[in-house]
Amino acid sequence: MAEGPVITKPLRAFQDHRDNVLAVAVFPDGHRMVTGSKDKTLRLWDLKKGVVLKNMKGNQDSVWAVGISRDGQVIISGGGKGELIAWDGVTGESLIEAITAHSWSIFSLDFSPNSEVLATGSRDKTTKFWCTKTWKQQGNPIACDAVVYCVRYSPDGNLLAIATSRDIQICNPRTGDCIANFCSLADNMSLAWTPNGRQLLSAGSGSDSTIRGWDSLNWKQIDHPWSGHTSLINAITINSAGTLVASASHDNHVRLWRLSDRRTIYVFKHSGAVCSVTFSADGKHILSGGYDKKVLEWKVPEDALSGDVPIELPLDVAIEPNPSSYLGYEEKRAALHRAKRYDEAIETFQNMLLKLEHSPDIQTRELRQQYVDRSEVEVAIRKIIDVQLENAPLRLLDTYSGYLCDQNAQISAFKASTEYKELVSSTTKRADLQGERIKHVVASYFQYVTLSHRWGKELRLQDIQEKNVYKMNRADGVVKLQSFCKASHDARYRWAWSDTCCIDKSDGAEVSKSVNSMFTWYHHSALTIVYLSDVSKPGELEQSEWNERGWTFQELVAPKVVRFYQKDWTIYRNDLTPNHKHSDAIMEELREATGIDSRALVAFRPGTSDARERLQWASKRVTTVQEDVAYSLFGIFSIQLPVLYGEKKQNALGRLLQEIVARSGDITALDWVGQPSEFNSCVPAEITSYSYTALRCARPSLSEKQFQAAVSRLRNVVSEDLALKLYDTLDKSHAPRFSQCRLRLPCITFPVSEFRQRDDQGQTTYEVKAHGLYDLSIATEDKLPQFSPAEPIRQTFLLVYPWSRHLLELPDFTKPHDFGDNAQSREGLWDDAQSEDSFQSAPEEYHTDSEPYLRALQLIVRLGQPFGAFLLAQQRGGEYKRIASGHNIVAQVKDMASVKDMMDNIRTLEIL
């Protein structure tokens, strides 16, 4: 065979390993490379800069094999002692401890096309499969009865080719069954599939240093072996176009072959044996490593690329269906499917079904029941599409074409896509309809990216309808949208959503649906891109206005995956990790800027639990449209309400808070300081009223010893009958309920007996006395009448203890807190020395109480702790209004033993 020109000078050399380079792989995006060496390490390289990004240590022996998942998120390495390690594809950090996968060297590994399974081949003569989510072995090993040098999935994932020292085996990777096996003349060192799956190439050892091609329809050898190498061929690879083959040999050469005529067109010379070879992602370069301890980069000459058109074998000639049997049709369908001629494959399959239906043989006709025709498959796919789109925005931008598409247009694009045709072509049996593959393909195709940003001059839906956003004049708003679409496209997502132009804001029904669905849309996005228009360098995120906006609260916590971009659309902090929620530095900046708990930033769960804390997180955020203060929180609390722009802020916020209390029964949403709302006096006029720390976090908790001592002491003064009656009365009290802007609040009331005004540094403060409570002070802007038992008035004022069923639970002893400014320490029941002495002297008696009696005493002790009181003023109709205060009203019961007085004052009040 004619020799091609010999090239001895590479473009570059990647040199850092201390021993032979045994494996090399390039990432799908073409930006990075990973190498494995006899020095027991891997190196992660930046291909553009030629520098090492990470020295990856962990293997116990030579790294014989490396692989990269199809999405580039995972690196896998196989070592000389049978160890398997998964690494983060971005950072190079190990994801798992080394697994002893085989009893001897792992010579080869390969990810399935969907990267859900990893196949490994070993010197221990077995091939194994591993789930890449759990890294547990999947199914039974394949006993190959000879050393396994190479394993390779077919492009469609339906076959696994295994090269051994004895033969080549073709297996079903799902069942492990051997479909075919055939022999060449020597050890089979390496394998490579053509992109269409039509051919399998194998490379031999020193006694037969040739490459052979095998027809995947009948596993017969294609033409003559490819000769040229003079020693064993360690590796072969095929470019993505399916036109060129590169081989690495112990003869110090890398040969570049043309697949169409199997001729050597160029030879690249190393100074030592070559162990590994691969093409760059674009196919324009070859990277090879070997005994010279480095990876050399070679440019593929232009004349070799000029014929970059894959050569197809004549399928119609190779397989002509036998008119008397359906099997020929099945073989042809499989061949056409592997050749990616999906329309023809589907048509052939339909013909096969007709052959089965009209067969004179009963058993053959019965086989038809195993299969599904195209219409059944399409109905099943459409059902899954509909489910997928339930949680997706109504319109998305097509980052490929630049046009805005509604859901019907998205479905049409999918049906015209290669992915759809491949799915229909490969879904042939009834069991396939119940599998996960349809869901996986549909979910992958319809993945979308959401944008979170600070609004400026933005494009509306009407501005981009039926226009290509990439071709619009680069005015204000256009550049941002174009950059967002490009960033989404570069991240390999077809669909993108921006709240500025993907919602028809002239349609009230659509606006309402969008507002109520927005949290769900962000949560189900594959990625949320946060654009920070006022951030240009690391450390500025904390000061960004983005942290202060109302809508960006849910846009931060709802998504599972977030990436931050700076003003010039470069990645913030140059952090190339796929999810910035995993960046400690970025999350710490956000925690400092927003006050949101670190766990909530990463794994937020919407709902009405911890309502008070969530309201505090929202309290410092602002919105341009006043009603959005409430609407932007609907998703945070998993609440859906009508969107009524024009209703004003107080009404919108009141409706939200009313729903929170109604759903949860949690009265902490009523714990605020500021001005009351026109909606109801028990809710605030402004969200900022929640900015202070909630009272329940500011008041003290008893230690466990104090608590038990207090319970023990009450047992001696409160009868079981009276304690149980109090417990039963409160237990049967209804939860607080809102209706028509009126709050029905169950509470323990304490009538106010005296108001005395005093001037406290320009602020109006009242000294207050109430029956059953310690005296306290209240600061308020309201003008209150002064009265006393000697100078009574007709109007009734109450200090009330809002009842919450949470008080029936055991207290949390694990969080010691300090008193707030208005809480005064009381002697007697809470005295530390008395409490501990009492606890020490009566443990046995304490444990002899009945369980209901004990629970009742514990409740009374909890009621005796300082609480956040409401000051209520009775109105002419008998209802009450809350008097707002400039600080927490912290009250405390004087004598917890006076249970009867408390029972007489348990009421449900109606508050306006």
Side-chain angles (χ1 to χ4, degrees):
M1 184 171 287
E3 289 285 326
V6 178
I7 298 174
T8 59
K9 186 175 181 180
L11 282 178
R12 285 188 297 177
F14 298 83
Q15 196 162 357
D16 196 57
H17 282 295
R18 298 181 179 180
D19 212 327
N20 304 347
V21 177
L22 303 176
V24 58
V26 172
F27 279 75
D29 61 9
H31 299 320
R32 290 168 299 142
M33 167 180 70
V34 66
T35 54
S37 169
K38 192 177 178 181
D39 64 12
K40 306 180 185 180
T41 69
L42 292 83
R43 297 289 194 279
L44 184 61
W45 303 83
D46 184 314
L47 280 175
K48 183 177 181 180
K49 299 178 181 178
V51 297
V52 174
L53 298 174
K54 182 74 174 180
N55 181 353
M56 301 156 62
K57 299 178 180 180
N59 284 90
Q60 304 167 31
D61 206 328
S62 302
V63 180
W64 286 100
V66 297
I68 301 170
S69 62
R70 302 301 196 254
D71 60 4
Q73 298 302 305
V74 178
I75 300 167
I76 198 77
S77 63
K81 293 188 180 296
E83 73 275 16
L84 193 67
I85 302 179
W87 313 79
D88 188 291
V90 176
T91 65
E93 298 292 336
S94 59
L95 298 174
I96 58 172
E97 295 293 328
I99 301 170
T100 304
H102 290 270
S103 60
W104 211 344
S105 305
I106 297 174
F107 282 149
S108 182
L109 44 79
D110 194 29
F111 280 96
S112 61
N114 61 11
S115 296
E116 292 179 359
V117 180
L118 179 79
T120 56
S122 170
R123 193 172 182 179
D124 66 8
K125 303 181 181 180
T126 65
T127 295
K128 297 182 180 180
F129 300 93
W130 307 87
C131 173
T132 57
K133 292 182 179 178
T134 63
W135 296 109
K136 302 292 185 183
Q137 187 174 325
Q138 187 167 295
N140 297 318
I142 298 175
C144 299
D145 298 326
V147 174
V148 179
Y149 288 115
C150 189
V151 292
R152 290 290 181 265
Y153 274 98
S154 62
D156 61 7
N158 291 328
L159 300 174
L160 182 74
I162 305 172
T164 77
S165 57
R166 191 183 66 183
D167 60 7
I168 296 171
Q169 302 173 21
I170 308 299
C171 296
N172 181 330
R174 297 177 181 84
T175 64
D177 296 336
C178 183
I179 297 171
N181 69 303
F182 42 92
C183 299
S184 57
L185 299 179
D187 290 354
N188 304 283
M189 304 301 295
S190 184
L191 300 168
W193 292 88
T194 55
N196 60 14
R198 187 63 180 82
Q199 292 187 57
L200 176 70
L201 303 184
S202 65
S205 64
S207 59
D208 181 33
S209 51
T210 62
I211 298 173
R212 297 171 185 267
W214 307 90
D215 188 333
S216 62
L217 294 176
N218 52 29
W219 301 114
K220 301 296 184 183
Q221 184 173 313
I222 301 171
D223 213 336
H224 301 293
W226 309 10
S227 59
H229 284 297
T230 58
S231 186
L232 69 89
I233 303 171
N234 287 304
I236 52 175
T237 185
I238 300 177
N239 70 345
S240 58
T243 57
L244 300 175
V245 178
S247 56
S249 170
H250 252 55
D251 64 9
N252 301 2
H253 290 164
V254 172
R255 285 181 174 264
L256 181 64
W257 313 75
R258 192 163 45 229
L259 182 61
S260 59
D261 58 12
R262 300 170 293 284
R263 291 181 178 274
T264 299
I265 49 180
Y266 284 94
V267 177
F268 306 100
K269 188 173 182 179
H270 275 251
S271 60
V274 193
C275 302
S276 53
V277 66
T278 189
F279 282 96
S280 61
D282 60 9
K284 295 180 179 180
H285 299 86
I286 292 172
L287 296 134
S288 53
Y291 281 22
D292 47 16
K293 305 177 185 179
K294 52 192 172 185
V295 175
L296 302 182
E297 181 179 23
W298 312 90
K299 179 177 173 60
V300 176
E302 291 296 331
D303 58 340
L305 296 171
S306 60
D308 225 3
V309 179
I311 304 299
E312 292 281 356
L313 291 182
L315 281 173
D316 296 331
V317 174
I319 290 292
E320 192 61 43
N322 182 347
S324 65
S325 170
Y326 74 92
L327 293 174
Y329 288 97
E330 169 57 23
E331 291 178 354
K332 184 173 183 178
R333 183 210 69 80
L336 289 166
H337 181 85
R338 288 195 295 271
K340 300 184 180 181
R341 291 158 59 175
Y342 300 125
D343 288 332
E344 296 170 73
I346 294 167
E347 182 181 358
T348 300
F349 181 68
Q350 292 299 114
N351 291 334
M352 185 196 86
L353 296 183
L354 290 173
K355 177 64 68 174
L356 287 172
E357 290 170 358
H358 295 94
S359 172
D361 181 64
I362 295 176
Q363 290 184 329
T364 301
R365 289 202 302 272
E366 289 177 348
L367 287 175
R368 171 66 179 84
Q369 303 305 314
Q370 300 177 15
Y371 297 97
V372 288
D373 62 24
R374 177 171 184 165
S375 62
E376 292 178 274
V377 174
E378 292 184 330
V379 167
I381 294 173
R382 180 55 192 261
K383 287 181 179 178
I384 293 173
I385 291 173
D386 290 342
V387 172
Q388 179 72 23
L389 294 182
E390 283 179 1
N391 294 318
L394 305 177
R395 298 180 187 80
L396 293 170
L397 286 157
D398 187 338
T399 65
Y400 290 11
S401 69
Y403 286 93
L404 185 67
C405 297
D406 62 16
Q407 291 188 345
N408 288 330
Q410 295 164 43
I411 294 170
S412 296
F414 180 46
K415 287 184 175 181
S417 70
T418 300
E419 293 95 325
Y420 182 83
K421 293 176 181 178
E422 193 278 336
L423 182 59
V424 173
S425 175
S426 62
T427 308
T428 58
K429 294 191 175 180
R430 202 160 298 280
D432 296 338
L433 299 180
Q434 310 304 321
E436 293 296 313
R437 188 164 183 275
I438 296 178
K439 293 180 182 178
H440 175 76
V441 173
V442 169
S444 297
Y445 183 86
F446 287 98
Q447 288 184 112
Y448 61 91
V449 181
T450 48
L451 175 65
S452 177
H453 60 121
R454 172 75 172 90
W455 277 37
K457 186 175 181 181
E458 306 293 344
L459 297 174
R460 300 166 302 166
L461 179 140
Q462 291 77 11
D463 297 325
I464 67 168
Q465 273 187 319
E466 300 182 6
K467 293 180 182 178
N468 185 332
V469 297
Y470 293 125
K471 295 182 179 179
M472 295 177 68
N473 293 330
R474 294 173 67 83
D476 290 342
V478 176
V479 175
K480 184 199 293 187
L481 190 62
Q482 290 174 339
S483 300
F484 166 57
C485 289
K486 182 179 184 301
S488 302
H489 184 275
D490 290 346
R492 301 189 175 186
Y493 295 106
R494 176 161 187 167
W495 305 106
W497 182 85
S498 171
D499 55 356
T500 56
C501 60
C502 294
I503 300 173
D504 185 355
K505 297 179 179 62
S506 65
D507 184 335
E510 182 175 327
V511 170
S512 183
K513 177 178 176 59
S514 299
V515 168
N516 280 290
S517 303
M518 211 167 289
F519 187 98
T520 299
W521 293 348
Y522 275 96
H523 181 69
H524 286 277
S525 65
L527 167 68
T528 291
I529 287 176
V530 178
Y531 175 60
L532 306 169
S533 59
D534 54 356
V535 172
S536 301
K537 60 184 179 181
E540 291 184 348
L541 170 57
E542 190 174 337
Q543 285 77 44
S544 174
E545 285 188 9
W546 180 85
N547 294 306
E548 302 169 2
R549 306 305 299 176
W551 286 104
T552 59
F553 180 8
Q554 69 174 4
E555 292 165 13
L556 169 61
V557 298
K560 296 182 283 291
V561 181
V562 172
R563 298 191 85 186
F564 290 86
Y565 285 74
Q566 301 180 141
K567 183 177 181 179
D568 61 357
W569 283 94
T570 57
I571 296 288
Y572 182 60
R573 284 184 175 270
N574 196 31
D575 187 333
L576 300 179
T577 55
N579 187 2
H580 285 172
K581 287 199 173 187
H582 296 161
S583 166
D584 292 341
I586 293 177
M587 288 300 102
E588 179 59 22
E589 278 193 77
L590 288 169
R591 189 191 66 77
E592 288 288 340
T594 65
I596 299 175
D597 178 81
S598 300
R599 288 171 297 179
L601 287 172
V602 176
F604 183 85
R605 299 183 67 177
T608 55
S609 61
D610 300 318
R612 181 58 179 76
E613 183 177 37
R614 297 176 183 205
L615 289 166
Q616 184 174 353
W617 292 339
S619 64
K620 297 179 182 178
R621 294 176 176 266
V622 295
T623 58
T624 302
V625 180
Q626 58 175 306
E627 292 91 347
D628 284 345
V629 166
Y631 299 165
S632 63
L633 298 177
F634 284 3
I636 296 295
F637 295 102
S638 193
I639 283 173
Q640 293 204 346
L641 291 171
V643 175
L644 308 170
Y645 281 110
E647 67 173 322
K648 303 304 180 185
K649 174 172 53 181
Q650 291 192 26
N651 202 67
L653 184 58
R655 287 196 297 124
L656 172 64
L657 296 171
Q658 171 179 275
E659 192 69 14
I660 292 171
V661 173
R663 289 194 183 192
S664 65
D666 182 2
I667 60 172
T668 60
L670 308 180
D671 182 4
W672 50 270
V673 169
Q675 292 301 309
S677 171
E678 295 174 0
F679 181 87
N680 183 279
S681 61
C682 272
V683 299
E686 302 283 346
I687 192 75
T688 53
S689 293
Y690 292 105
S691 60
Y692 77 99
T693 302
L695 178 63
R696 61 176 175 162
C697 299
R699 67 191 183 196
S701 293
L702 300 176
S703 70
E704 184 172 4
K705 287 185 177 181
Q706 288 175 319
F707 185 83
Q708 292 183 359
V711 170
S712 179
R713 211 165 31 252
L714 274 178
R715 190 185 58 78
N716 297 321
V717 293
V718 179
S719 70
E720 182 172 358
D721 180 62
L722 201 56
L724 292 176
K725 282 183 179 179
L726 176 66
Y727 188 97
D728 188 59
T729 302
L730 290 172
D731 187 28
K732 291 179 179 178
S733 295
H734 293 292
R737 288 179 294 180
F738 267 105
S739 178
Q740 301 299 316
C741 302
R742 292 172 176 246
L743 172 64
R744 291 181 57 80
L745 181 70
C747 55
I748 304 171
T749 64
F750 302 90
V752 175
S753 60
E754 184 174 327
F755 276 151
R756 281 286 175 257
Q757 181 178 341
R758 64 180 171 85
D759 188 47
D760 187 6
Q761 297 179 348
Q763 185 178 35
T764 303
T765 301
Y766 293 88
E767 299 292 341
V768 182
K769 296 180 183 292
H771 295 299
L773 298 178
Y774 287 103
D775 296 347
L776 65 155
S777 299
I778 296 176
T780 179
E781 294 182 7
D782 288 73
K783 182 69 174 177
L784 301 178
Q786 299 189 65
F787 64 92
S788 68
E791 301 174 2
I793 60 172
R794 296 183 63 183
Q795 188 176 17
T796 299
F797 288 85
L798 300 175
L799 280 167
V800 304
Y801 191 144
W803 167 246
S804 170
R805 293 189 60 81
H806 295 94
L807 289 166
L808 296 174
E809 304 296 329
L810 289 174
D812 185 355
F813 301 120
T814 62
K815 297 180 180 178
H817 303 293
D818 296 324
F819 275 104
D821 293 339
N822 195 48
Q824 300 175 17
S825 179
R826 313 297 187 188
E827 297 180 356
L829 187 62
W830 317 121
D831 183 77
D832 287 354
Q834 287 185 3
S835 299
E836 295 192 20
D837 289 343
S838 301
F839 173 71
Q840 295 293 338
S841 63
E844 292 183 9
E845 291 184 291
Y846 175 82
H847 289 292
T848 61
D849 296 325
S850 67
E851 187 66 25
Y853 183 30
L854 178 60
R855 286 200 302 268
L857 294 176
Q858 290 172 339
L859 172 61
I860 295 171
V861 172
R862 286 194 285 276
L863 290 173
Q865 294 191 71
F867 65 91
F870 294 173
L871 175 60
L872 304 180
Q874 191 174 35
Q875 307 300 296
R876 290 182 179 179
E879 309 94 341
Y880 287 83
K881 272 196 172 185
R882 181 176 174 180
I883 306 299
S885 174
H887 58 67
N888 283 320
I889 303 175
V890 181
Q892 186 173 4
V893 176
K894 282 183 179 179
D895 182 10
M896 283 311 304
S898 58
V899 173
K900 187 176 186 307
D901 292 338
M902 290 183 61
M903 286 186 56
D904 293 340
N905 289 315
I906 296 174
R907 301 168 58 186
T908 297
L909 302 179
E910 188 166 305
I911 305 175
L912 303 177

